[in-house]
């Protein structure tokens, strides 16, 4: 490995000695990427603010609860942060999740139900159009996320990782979009 691209770090993980290669953080590419993130998120928030208002009013008129949903996710270096989304489910959706575990349609540590009964009417539209993801532009401005990168997973899903290679996703900032979104 080229030492200019990564630093070797030695640590113990689950009783094993592990060598991990971590990207060099002062590389100009990371600075350029952060600049693009700040510019893109700023322009996005300003230009989409009328749409934010319409979505917020729609959520408030069609269901009880807050407009935004904040969920703890794991970001770079497994640091936890609150990821913002427009609320697409009933306000008690997280409490109801254990009741639907047997309906999970995805293998591995991820939870997904195609026609989730916890979704609200406006939530179905927001999810289908991915408009529920727009508040993550705030996370990008705060430096918790990037415009492009691996999706930040909920704590529930990360705790179910069984393969060590899955931890590589924590070497970079998670993104609003990435390979998973454009592949499915």
């Amino acid at each position: 490995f080229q030492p200019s691209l990564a630093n070797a770090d030695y640590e113990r993980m689950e009783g094993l000695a592990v060598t991990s290669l971590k990207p060099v953080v002062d590389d100009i590419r990371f600075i350029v990427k952060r600049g693009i993130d700040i510019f893109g998120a700023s322009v996005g928030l300003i230009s989409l603010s009328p749409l934010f208002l319409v979505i917020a009013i729609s959520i408030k008129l069609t269901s009880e609860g807050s407009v935004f949903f904040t969920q703890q996710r794991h970001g770079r270096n497994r640091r936890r942060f609150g990821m913002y989304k427009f609320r697409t489910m009933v306000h008690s959706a997280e409490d109801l999740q254990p009741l639907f575990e047997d309906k999970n349609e995805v293998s591995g540590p991820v939870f997904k139900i195609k026609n989730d009964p916890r979704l609200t009417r406006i939530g179905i539209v927001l999810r289908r159009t991915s408009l529920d993801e727009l508040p993550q532009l705030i996370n990008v401005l705060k430096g918790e996320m990037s415009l492009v990168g691996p999706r930040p997973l909920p704590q529930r899903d990360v705790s179910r990782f069984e393969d060590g290679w899955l931890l590589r996703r924590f070497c970079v900032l998670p993104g609003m979009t990435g390979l998973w979104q454009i592949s499915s």
Side-chain angles (χ1 to χ4, degrees):
F1 296 98
Q2 295 179 18
S4 63
L5 298 178
N7 291 328
D9 191 26
Y10 306 99
E11 54 190 313
R12 296 198 69 73
M13 191 180 295
E14 297 179 16
L16 300 172
V18 177
T19 302
S20 58
L21 296 172
K22 300 192 177 178
V24 178
V25 293
D26 60 351
D27 189 280
I28 189 70
R29 293 169 290 187
F30 290 100
I31 296 168
V32 170
K33 185 173 182 0
R34 180 69 185 133
I36 292 169
D37 285 343
I38 291 170
F39 178 77
S42 299
V43 169
L45 283 169
I46 292 167
S47 63
L48 296 172
S49 59
L51 181 59
F52 269 63
L53 183 61
V54 169
I55 292 171
I57 292 169
S58 299
I59 291 170
K60 271 303 198 191
L61 291 176
T62 59
S63 64
E64 66 178 60
S66 66
V67 169
F68 296 105
F69 171 71
T70 305
Q71 186 178 50
Q72 288 295 303
R73 299 285 179 118
H74 286 280
R76 185 173 181 198
N77 297 324
R78 290 187 76 172
R79 285 194 184 104
R80 292 183 186 156
F81 69 96
M83 187 179 81
Y84 306 118
K85 294 178 120 183
F86 282 119
R87 187 175 53 78
T88 59
M89 294 187 169
V90 296
H91 70 279
S92 60
E94 284 194 305
D95 297 332
L96 297 172
Q97 184 172 331
L99 300 174
F100 298 101
E101 288 285 345
D102 61 323
K103 296 183 180 4
N104 189 5
E105 298 172 0
V106 180
S107 62
V110 180
F111 181 79
K112 204 76 151 167
I113 301 175
K114 187 173 186 174
N115 295 313
D116 197 321
R118 302 171 299 161
L119 285 169
T120 63
R121 285 181 287 140
I122 189 72
I124 293 168
V125 174
L126 293 175
R127 289 257 182 113
R128 192 172 294 137
T129 58
S130 295
L131 293 174
D132 63 318
E133 309 278 344
L134 291 178
Q136 292 167 28
L137 290 168
I138 298 165
N139 292 113
V140 173
L141 271 182
K142 290 172 68 177
E144 298 165 332
M145 291 179 69
S146 181
L147 293 173
V148 179
R151 286 299 291 163
L153 295 176
Q155 293 178 357
R156 172 211 170 271
D157 298 349
V158 172
S159 69
R160 296 180 179 199
F161 279 3
E162 293 180 9
D163 298 326
W165 65 269
L166 292 169
L167 298 174
R168 290 180 53 202
R169 70 186 308 120
F170 301 118
C171 292
V172 295
L173 283 175
M176 285 184 63
T177 191
L179 185 60
W180 186 79
Q181 278 85 4
I182 62 173
S183 298
S184 55

